[in-house]
């Protein structure tokens, strides 16, 4: 358990103090960048002692140094009940490592149908090749239907809540509890909410995964992922990541740690502006649907109200018309970049087609869809920009 692992410390305070051990910072506020591949030992005896304890001392560059350890510890402290965190070169690497750590040939994986596309691709690619089968399930499954998901061969169940294209909120505590009762490992891609808005391990999940590329870094200039896990699974995940040769560079770890310290206020600003834009979109004649977990129309909105302490800045909407109208809209935007990787300080717009991906239940599209990441610009400027772009789409 970590140093601040008690309920008395508020998440906003943890975000500031976590991971800043004096022996790592030497008294400097931000842990410095320790660049290293080679560690030098005073003598052979010291080298031999270090080999016996490769995980908690300076040993080899791939095992990290205080810059990486400090970030990992800070992420662990945001998930009370967790045993530790591993860092990976991308969010996708974090997801694939966690899955490889808990699955073996012959196992079945339950994968939510709304999962991020590369997560599905990994199931259909490498996992299939090594003899793991994947069964996709509807993200809106609740109550007794949850129990019916599991088979004798189910070894793990993966959630993404809300889904990052279609935004259904899952009944994570019920799914995690049903899994634990059967000895099935539960994992979640927690990138949208981060542990700040949804501490997944506290809600009964075994493994909480982040693309730190998004809100943790927050400035669209680092690729990184993390896996935070309960005691009993953390060591397996650490060994798997190490076996795959994963590590993150100290400069990236420094940037991620610096981003993390301001994630709380950034998320509040993303939430307020995104809700303002989403509510405005609901009143526009060309808009047929707005999918935002904080709005009553979104599937699982009641679960979001029950389980989450806020929303981030990513949601989607649909318009009347065809793809050409959608392209006119997106191309007309001034303040929204056109791009995939969200969670930075800048706004983004992306045409999305989730119907291509779904297999458990067909996705009934409310029209051509656009995903928005609402950044830290003034929401009035974003709304004005969307207004002129909607006019162009309607023309
Ligand atoms: C929900 C979600 N999970 C994971 C990832 C993967 O993260 P990365 O780009 O760091 O590999 C993404 C990236 O867009 C994502 O949207």
């Amino acid at each position: 358990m970590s140093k601040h692992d008690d309920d008395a410390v508020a998440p906003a305070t943890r975000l500031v103090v976590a991971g800043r051990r004096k022996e790592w910072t030497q008294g400097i506020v931000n842990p410095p960048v320790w660049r290293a591949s080679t560690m030098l030992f005073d003598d052979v005896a010291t080298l031999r002692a270090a080999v016996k304890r490769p995980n908690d001392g300076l040993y080899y560059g791939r095992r990290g140094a205080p810059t990486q350890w400090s970030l990992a510890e800070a992420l662990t402290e945001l998930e009370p009940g967790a045993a530790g965190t591993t860092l990976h070169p991308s969010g996708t690497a974090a997801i694939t490592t966690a899955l490889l750590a808990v699955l073996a040939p012959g196992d079945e994986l339950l994968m939510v149908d709304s999962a991020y596309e590369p997560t599905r691709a990994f199931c259909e690619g490498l996992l299939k090749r090594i003899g793991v089968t994947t069964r996709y399930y509807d993200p809106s499954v609740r109550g007794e239907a949850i129990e019916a998901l599991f088979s004798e061969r189910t070894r793990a169940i993966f959630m993404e809540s809300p889904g990052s294209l279609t935004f259904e909120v899952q009944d994570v505590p019920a799914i995690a509890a049903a899994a634990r009762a059967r000895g099935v490992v539960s994992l979640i891609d927690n990138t949208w909410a981060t542990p700040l808005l949804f501490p997944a391990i506290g809600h009964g999940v075994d493994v909480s995964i982040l693309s730190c590329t998004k809100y943790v870094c927050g400035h669209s200039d680092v690729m990184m992922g993390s896996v935070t896990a309960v005691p009993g699974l953390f060591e397996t995940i650490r060994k798997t990541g190490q076996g795959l040769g994963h590590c993150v560079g100290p400069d990236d770890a420094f940037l991620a740690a610096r981003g993390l310290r301001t994630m709380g206020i950034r998320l509040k600003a993303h939430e307020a502006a995104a809700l303002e834009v989403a509510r405005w979109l609901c009143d526009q004649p060309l808009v047929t649907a707005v999918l935002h977990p904080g709005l009553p129309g979104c599937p699982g909105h009641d679960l979001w109200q029950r389980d989450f302490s806020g929303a981030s800045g990513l949601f989607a909407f649909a318009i009347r018309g065809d793809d050409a109208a959608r392209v006119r809209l997106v191309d007309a935007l001034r303040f929204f970049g056109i791009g995939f990787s969200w969670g930075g300080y800048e706004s983004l717009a992306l045409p999305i087609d989730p119907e291509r991906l779904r297999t458990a239940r067909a996705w009934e599209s409310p029209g051509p869809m656009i995903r928005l990441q609402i950044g830290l610009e003034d929401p009035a400027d974003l709304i004005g920009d969307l207004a002129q772009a909607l006019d162009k789409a309607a023309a």
Side-chain angles (χ1 to χ4, degrees):
M1 295 293 139
S2 60
K3 195 167 139 199
H4 307 102
D5 200 7
D6 66 79
D7 292 340
V9 182
T13 307
R14 279 170 207 257
L15 209 53
V16 173
V17 298
R20 289 173 45 211
R21 292 195 205 182
K22 184 87 184 277
E23 73 249 40
W24 294 340
T25 64
Q26 303 293 311
I28 297 169
V29 173
N30 290 328
V33 178
W34 290 55
R35 290 197 189 86
S37 59
T38 312
M39 316 299 180
L40 299 176
F41 302 95
D42 286 344
D43 47 41
V44 173
T46 323
L47 179 143
R48 285 182 179 156
V51 171
K52 291 200 179 111
R53 303 183 57 180
N55 291 324
D56 60 357
L58 284 172
Y59 166 75
Y60 191 100
R62 211 181 326 104
R63 304 288 166 104
T67 323
Q68 292 94 333
W69 300 337
S70 169
L71 171 63
E73 183 169 286
L75 291 168
T76 304
E77 291 196 20
L78 291 181
E79 288 276 10
T85 296
T86 52
L87 300 176
H88 303 268
S90 68
T92 304
I95 293 166
T96 57
T97 302
L99 287 171
L100 281 174
V102 301
L103 292 163
D107 287 344
E108 178 187 68
L109 166 68
L110 291 172
M111 173 57 64
V112 66
D113 208 20
S114 48
Y116 175 58
E117 190 171 1
T119 305
R120 290 184 77 110
F122 183 68
C123 297
E124 297 313 306
L126 189 63
L127 285 187
K128 188 179 266 179
R129 195 137 62 77
I130 64 170
V132 173
T133 52
T134 302
R135 196 149 47 81
Y136 294 90
Y137 68 94
D138 189 336
S140 58
V141 64
R142 289 199 195 190
E144 284 171 8
I146 293 173
E147 202 52 49
L149 290 177
F150 299 93
S151 78
E152 284 307 308
R153 286 198 310 112
T154 308
R155 174 76 190 112
I157 183 162
F158 193 100
M159 298 167 270
E160 184 181 312
S161 179
S164 60
L165 294 182
T166 46
F167 298 95
E168 300 95 330
V169 182
Q170 298 191 246
D171 193 345
V172 176
I175 293 171
R180 194 164 283 178
R182 300 182 69 109
V184 168
V185 177
S186 61
L187 308 95
I188 190 168
D189 180 337
N190 204 18
T191 303
W192 184 89
T194 83
L196 213 55
L197 306 180
F198 183 74
I201 289 184
H203 282 87
V205 178
D206 295 321
V207 182
S208 175
I209 303 166
L210 296 179
S211 165
C212 299
T213 310
K214 312 290 189 285
Y215 290 116
V216 171
C217 294
H219 294 73
S220 303
D221 49 10
V222 172
M223 298 296 301
M224 195 183 293
S226 65
V227 181
T228 303
V230 293
L233 283 173
F234 174 63
E235 269 310 313
T236 311
I237 292 167
R238 170 150 72 184
K239 283 197 183 113
T240 306
Q242 284 177 357
L244 291 168
H246 285 189
C247 57
V248 305
D251 294 273
D252 284 348
F254 176 87
L255 287 173
R258 186 151 78 171
L260 184 71
R261 304 300 174 192
T262 60
M263 188 171 76
I265 53 165
R266 282 188 286 108
L267 281 175
K268 281 200 172 85
H270 286 299
E271 171 177 34
L275 276 168
E276 191 176 332
V277 173
R279 291 196 179 108
W280 177 85
L281 280 168
C282 289
D283 295 334
Q284 305 313 304
L286 200 70
V287 172
T288 54
V290 180
L291 299 171
H292 184 304
L295 296 183
C298 191
H301 169 68
D302 57 327
L303 300 173
W304 175 79
Q305 277 184 311
R306 187 191 70 187
D307 296 337
F308 289 60
S309 61
S312 59
L314 192 77
F315 69 96
F317 70 102
I319 58 167
R320 224 180 297 288
D322 54 12
D323 180 57
R326 171 167 68 169
V327 170
R328 279 200 301 283
L329 193 164
V330 173
D331 283 348
L333 290 165
R334 278 179 66 206
F335 295 126
F336 291 80
I338 305 172
F340 290 103
S341 191
W342 45 281
Y345 59 82
E346 80 293 2
S347 288
L348 297 174
L350 184 73
I352 54 167
D353 301 291
E355 60 277 8
R356 285 187 305 111
L357 301 171
R358 303 298 272 258
T359 51
R361 184 152 69 87
W363 167 254
E364 285 167 29
S365 181
M369 290 178 65
I370 296 167
R371 188 179 75 178
L372 296 181
Q373 141 80 9
I374 301 299
L376 303 180
E377 305 87 347
D378 189 317
D381 283 335
L382 300 178
I383 287 172
D385 199 17
L386 284 162
Q388 62 82 23
L390 281 164
D391 286 346
K392 295 215 171 66

